[in-house]
């Protein structure tokens, strides 16, 4: 996979402040990759997200988005076309009184011809399965539906990458599932690069790569199956275990031979059944 | 003894307008003093409307609410009956407004007419209950982190000593450790004061862990009101109304569905572990 985002020794502090909110970040995000960023409140996750589409630019070090240096003023416009950002509260991101007008807002600002905008809006609404709501008022939609409209608004600008900053934290379980299902589909079917910031471990286990941040630094990164077995690093970083991992961890501490690598409830149940039948660890 | 009685309660938004929406339909509910009640339901099921009715922010379209035997209505509404119900809104950190944390926490108790001495005592006790130390009291609430602000906002409510504490999604947006801490603080406070706690959450694991009973709302009606074990044994019906069950309950049910003889009425990690150990030991003996 080719590289899409390159972050080289990035530091960031607000003007007049002495504390670095980002304190030497180095990582690479590949094209089409689904990356999850975890970490406690205040660890710098959202600040990093804002660097990915040049809302903020680094105090030191560089970020390259598809080869474009985000510190150079002339690249900002191009970078914002490539990377769309979705925020926590759907109500803060919807600007128009009708769903389809809201989705058209982005491409209109890009000065795209009207018939092309029509096509893009329809396609974007279909991609998030909200096409039949195109004439509705956004305030009548549920939280999950509003977030999907916000995603459609970003999609209509045809970004190569979508960054979601705790985009599911205000939603009910059903709304969360709708949004997760939508971004996974975009990732798989359209090869959209996804960067998801979340506090939900069950969302993180679906990622290709997990990055754990702590105090402005990257503490560790790797595949979910590697990261989520390291109980001490999770606890150290203010994160919790999923109930699956916690159960396996507790049973293992009692001396039962179980692998902590089972990530979700299905895998956890299978691992335990396997153990009951006297077989080797599955994962 | 019941601390809260709701009879034939309905609430309609924009009554008489084309946008008329029935938010709550004929709710009958009785909550006992000292109970912890978790409320679940998808967005738009009427959870937040219900809790807003409970402290008189909005008035029922029909039906009535009694708090500690007094009806929440008319003159009572602005007085002690309302002040006996402490409501912590969603994202309460946006409601901090005073110069110092001390003044912010003191605002509620002062309105309740406590003496300065009593106010001070309440402020010091409340900040401790939410897990912050006294050094926070002289700081500006606006220089705190999101999680700290939320704790200050909650301290401001419990400082009024409400006999019913209601929290609307108290842990939304907090990191896992912050969530855990805040849930513990609320429960410790409850244990110390033996007050009634009602909280809304979308996190079934938290609901299962701390609730005595769970109120399930669906389309403005009560779907069920029962112990966590009974509620979460109705997995398929809950799924139909957009709700989930705790992960541990799912895991144990999957094992049972494979034909293993295991007690699947579990809703917490500890109960799940116990059930499994029983199963493992039972099989070894055979």
């Amino acid at each position: 996979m080719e590289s899409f985002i390159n972050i080289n020794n990035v530091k960031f502090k607000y003007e007049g402040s002495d504390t670095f909110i980002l304190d030497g970040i180095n990582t690479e995000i590949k094209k089409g990759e689904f990356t999850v960023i975890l970490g406690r409140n205040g660890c710098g996750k959202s600040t990093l997200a804002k660097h990915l589409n040049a809302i903020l630019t680094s105090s030191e070090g560089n970020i390259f988005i598809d080869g474009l240096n985000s510190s150079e003023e002339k690249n900002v416009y191009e970078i914002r076309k490539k990377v769309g950002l979705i925020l926590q509260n759907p109500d803060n991101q919807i600007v128009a009184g009708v769903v389809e007008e809201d989705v058209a807002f982005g491409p209109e600002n890009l000065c795209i011809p009207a018939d092309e905008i029509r096509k893009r809006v329809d396609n974007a609404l279909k991609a998030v399965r909200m096409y039949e709501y195109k004439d509705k008022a956004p305030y009548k939609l549920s939280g999950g539906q509003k977030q999907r409209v916000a995603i459609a608004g970003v999609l209509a600008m045809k970004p190569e990458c979508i960054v979601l900053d705790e985009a599911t934290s205000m939603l009910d379980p059903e709304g969360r599932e709708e949004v997760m299902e939508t971004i996974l589909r975009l990732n798989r079917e359209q090869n959209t690069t996804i960067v998801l910031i979340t506090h939900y471990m069950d969302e993180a286990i679906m990622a290709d790569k997990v990055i754990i941040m702590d105090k402005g630094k990257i503490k560790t990164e790797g595949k979910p199956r590697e990261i989520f077995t390291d109980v001490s690093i999770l606890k150290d970083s203010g994160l919790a275990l999923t109930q699956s991992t916690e159960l396996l961890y507790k049973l293992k501490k009692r001396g039962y031979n179980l692998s902590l690598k089972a990530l979700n409830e299905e895998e956890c149940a299978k691992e335990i059944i396997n153990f009951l039948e006297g077989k080797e660890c599955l994962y | 003894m019941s601390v809260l009685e709701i009879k034939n309660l309905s609430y309609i938004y924009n009554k008489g307008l084309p946008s008329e929406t029935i938010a709550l339909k004929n709710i009958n509910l009785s909550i006992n003093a000292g109970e912890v009640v978790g409320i679940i339901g998808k967005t738009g099921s009427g959870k937040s409307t219900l809790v807003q009715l409970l402290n008189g922010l909005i008035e029922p379209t029909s039906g009535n609410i009694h708090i500690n035997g007094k009806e929440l209505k008319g003159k009572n509404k602005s007085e002690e009956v309302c002040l006996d119900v402490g409501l912590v809104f969603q994202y309460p950190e946006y409601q901090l407004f005073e110069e110092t944390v001390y003044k912010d926490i003191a605002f509620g108790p002062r309105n309740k007419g406590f003496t300065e001495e009593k106010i001070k005592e309440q402020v010091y006790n409340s900040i401790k209950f939410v897990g912050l130390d006294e050094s926070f009291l002289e700081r500006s609430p606006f220089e705190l982190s999101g999680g700290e602000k939320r704790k200050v906002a909650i301290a401001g409510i419990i400082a009024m000593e409400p006999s019913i504490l209601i929290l609307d999604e108290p842990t939304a947006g907090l990191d896992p450790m912050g969530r855990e801490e805040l849930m513990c603080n609320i429960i410790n406070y409850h244990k110390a004061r033996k007050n009634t706690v009602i909280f809304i959450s979308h996190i079934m694991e938290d609901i299962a862990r701390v609730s005595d009973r769970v109120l399930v709302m669906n389309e403005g009606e009560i779907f069920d009101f029962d112990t966590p074990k009974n509620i979460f044994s109705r997995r398929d019906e809950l799924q139909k109304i957009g709700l989930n069950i705790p992960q541990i309950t799912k895991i144990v049910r999957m094992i049972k569905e494979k034909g293993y003889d295991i007690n699947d009425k579990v809703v917490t990690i500890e109960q799940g572990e116990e059930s499994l150990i029983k199963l493992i030991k039972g099989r070894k003996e055979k």
Side-chain angles (χ1 to χ4, degrees):
Chain A
M1 274 195 286
E2 62 181 297
S3 174
F4 184 70
I5 298 174
N6 273 293
I7 306 177
N8 303 324
N9 201 24
V10 162
K11 293 190 175 189
F12 177 80
K13 59 177 184 182
Y14 283 101
E15 248 177 57
S17 161
D18 300 325
T19 26
F20 281 101
I21 300 170
L22 298 179
D23 195 7
I25 303 276
N26 282 292
T27 193
E28 180 197 27
I29 291 169
K30 295 198 166 82
K31 205 162 231 160
E33 203 172 35
F34 176 15
T35 304
V36 162
I37 305 180
L38 297 169
R40 69 180 102 223
N41 294 117
C43 73
K45 304 183 299 288
S46 296
T47 306
L48 183 62
K50 287 183 186 127
H51 277 75
L52 300 182
N53 76 343
I55 289 179
L56 295 175
T57 51
S58 54
S59 313
E60 284 174 42
N62 287 307
I63 297 188
F64 291 91
I65 310 288
D66 208 9
L68 300 167
N69 187 341
S70 76
S71 302
E72 290 176 26
E73 189 70 37
K74 65 176 169 54
N75 290 334
V76 167
Y77 196 64
E78 200 54 34
I79 286 172
R80 295 216 179 122
K81 274 200 266 181
K82 286 179 187 288
V83 182
L85 182 63
I86 306 281
L87 302 170
Q88 189 178 69
N89 189 344
D91 292 326
N92 293 348
Q93 309 174 73
I94 288 177
V95 292
V98 180
V99 164
E100 61 178 1
E101 283 175 16
D102 190 80
V103 178
F105 182 79
E108 272 170 1
N109 281 311
L110 296 176
C111 300
I112 289 163
D115 53 340
E116 169 70 13
I117 292 182
R118 178 77 261 167
K119 254 189 260 166
R120 285 194 184 193
V121 168
D122 289 350
N123 287 339
L125 282 170
K126 280 175 193 160
V128 300
R129 313 234 153 113
M130 286 297 290
Y131 184 69
E132 59 277 30
Y133 293 90
K134 66 180 163 65
D135 305 323
K136 295 270 183 301
Y139 78 88
K140 286 194 169 164
L141 304 178
S142 73
Q145 289 172 331
K146 281 186 220 169
Q147 275 307 42
R148 283 190 286 156
V149 170
I151 294 174
V154 163
L155 281 181
M157 296 166 78
K158 293 204 171 170
E160 289 166 60
C161 172
I162 301 180
V163 178
L164 301 104
D165 188 2
E166 290 188 44
T168 60
S169 69
M170 294 180 89
L171 306 180
D172 62 17
E174 199 176 53
R176 265 179 67 203
E177 217 163 281
E178 281 170 22
V179 170
M180 285 308 291
E181 198 253 348
T182 303
I183 61 172
L184 282 170
R185 192 154 31 78
L186 291 170
N187 179 247
R188 278 172 199 152
E189 292 173 8
Q190 307 191 13
N191 202 36
T192 310
T193 309
I194 303 283
V195 179
L196 175 75
I197 294 175
T198 185
H199 286 312
Y200 289 107
M201 300 298 139
D202 53 341
E203 293 175 2
I205 59 175
M206 296 187 238
D208 298 317
K209 181 166 91 173
V210 175
I211 296 177
I212 295 184
M213 284 183 65
D214 195 20
K215 296 182 189 116
K217 292 186 163 73
I218 291 182
K219 196 161 193 170
T220 182
E221 58 177 276
K223 291 196 164 65
R225 224 183 270 292
E226 295 157 6
I227 299 288
F228 291 124
T229 18
D230 196 336
V231 173
S232 64
I233 221 165
L234 291 174
K235 292 200 163 168
D236 255 19
S237 315
L239 302 171
L241 308 177
T242 60
Q243 285 197 329
S244 298
T245 313
E246 198 174 344
L247 179 66
L248 292 169
Y249 181 67
K250 285 190 173 217
L251 292 171
K252 199 180 162 82
K253 269 212 318 218
R254 288 178 178 261
Y256 301 117
N257 181 28
L258 288 154
S259 160
L260 296 184
K261 288 192 174 176
L263 284 177
N264 56 26
E265 49 266 40
E266 282 88 15
E267 289 185 3
C268 174
K270 272 189 203 159
E271 175 72 22
I272 292 170
I273 289 167
N274 218 43
F275 168 78
L276 289 168
E277 288 168 356
K279 294 181 196 156
E280 285 287 296
C281 295
L282 266 179
Y283 300 97
Chain B
M1 197 197 94
S2 81
V3 63
L4 172 68
E5 281 283 345
I6 298 179
K7 286 214 176 79
N8 307 322
L9 177 75
S10 292
Y11 188 79
I12 301 171
Y13 281 104
N14 300 337
K15 196 173 162 62
L17 296 174
S19 56
E20 181 173 302
T21 318
I22 302 173
L24 292 172
K25 277 179 265 190
N26 200 29
I27 303 287
N28 286 287
L29 182 66
S30 167
I31 290 176
N32 300 324
E35 241 186 325
V36 178
V37 173
I39 306 183
I40 58 175
K42 60 189 260 184
T43 311
S45 62
K47 306 180 300 291
S48 293
T49 306
L50 180 64
V51 298
Q52 284 173 32
L53 282 158
L54 295 185
N55 87 335
L57 276 178
I58 49 179
E59 281 199 34
T61 308
S62 60
N64 56 58
I65 299 167
H66 282 86
I67 312 268
N68 290 320
K70 285 184 191 160
E71 191 173 1
L72 188 59
K73 199 180 172 184
K75 192 169 166 280
N76 283 342
K77 226 192 87 178
S78 57
E79 287 174 14
E80 80 273 34
V81 183
C82 270
L83 291 172
D84 221 12
V85 182
L87 173 59
V88 180
F89 287 99
Q90 278 180 42
Y91 294 85
E93 54 273 28
Y94 296 129
Q95 294 160 37
L96 301 174
F97 64 97
E98 280 282 11
E99 291 156 44
T100 65
V101 169
Y102 182 97
K103 284 186 184 169
D104 213 288
I105 299 175
F107 182 80
R110 185 161 292 132
N111 273 342
K112 218 176 163 175
F114 289 173
T115 61
E116 280 307 313
E117 202 178 335
K118 172 86 175 159
I119 292 170
K120 191 172 175 191
E121 187 190 322
Q122 288 300 97
V123 171
Y124 278 84
N125 283 335
S126 306
I127 194 100
K128 228 180 287 159
F129 268 123
V130 295
L132 298 176
D133 64 60
E134 289 170 9
S135 71
F136 278 89
L137 291 173
E138 291 316 310
R139 291 172 65 182
S140 158
F142 301 101
E143 62 183 40
L144 308 181
S145 76
E148 288 162 355
K149 280 187 198 166
R150 182 150 330 166
K151 287 177 176 174
V152 170
I154 294 174
I157 300 290
I158 63 179
M160 294 195 286
E161 287 195 320
S163 64
I164 307 176
L165 176 65
I166 307 178
L167 306 108
D168 193 352
E169 291 192 50
T171 62
L174 296 185
D175 60 45
M177 221 59 120
R179 222 178 76 201
E180 176 69 32
E181 240 180 76
L182 189 57
M183 285 312 296
C184 283
N185 292 334
I186 294 168
I187 290 314
N188 288 339
Y189 171 75
H190 161 77
K191 281 182 182 153
R193 289 299 164 89
K194 314 253 181 299
N195 65 338
T196 310
V197 175
I198 301 174
F199 77 109
I200 297 177
S201 179
H202 287 310
I203 299 172
M204 302 304 152
E205 287 78 11
D206 287 347
I207 291 276
R209 208 165 42 138
V210 305
S211 308
D212 296 317
R213 284 195 289 171
V214 180
L215 178 69
V216 188
M217 297 294 298
N218 183 44
E219 293 180 352
E221 290 177 286
I222 294 178
F223 177 81
D224 201 352
F225 187 32
D226 206 337
T227 59
K229 282 188 183 178
N230 287 337
I231 293 290
F232 291 120
S233 64
R234 300 176 69 180
R235 176 186 57 178
D236 298 341
E237 293 152 274
L238 288 177
Q239 234 151 29
K240 273 189 205 132
I241 60 169
L243 296 172
N244 225 322
I245 61 172
Q247 242 196 0
I248 186 72
T249 316
K250 278 188 216 165
I251 294 167
V252 173
R253 292 224 10 199
M254 278 185 233
I255 294 169
K256 183 164 179 128
E257 277 160 15
K258 287 281 174 199
Y260 290 92
D261 181 24
I262 183 169
N263 172 17
D264 67 342
K265 272 212 161 186
V266 301
V267 294
T268 65
I269 276 281
E270 290 71 25
Q271 293 164 359
E273 189 188 9
E274 200 186 301
S275 265
L276 275 163
I277 285 165
K278 226 171 155 185
L279 172 69
I280 295 168
K281 287 196 172 146
R283 286 173 66 84
K284 274 195 184 147
E285 277 163 21
K286 276 182 200 166

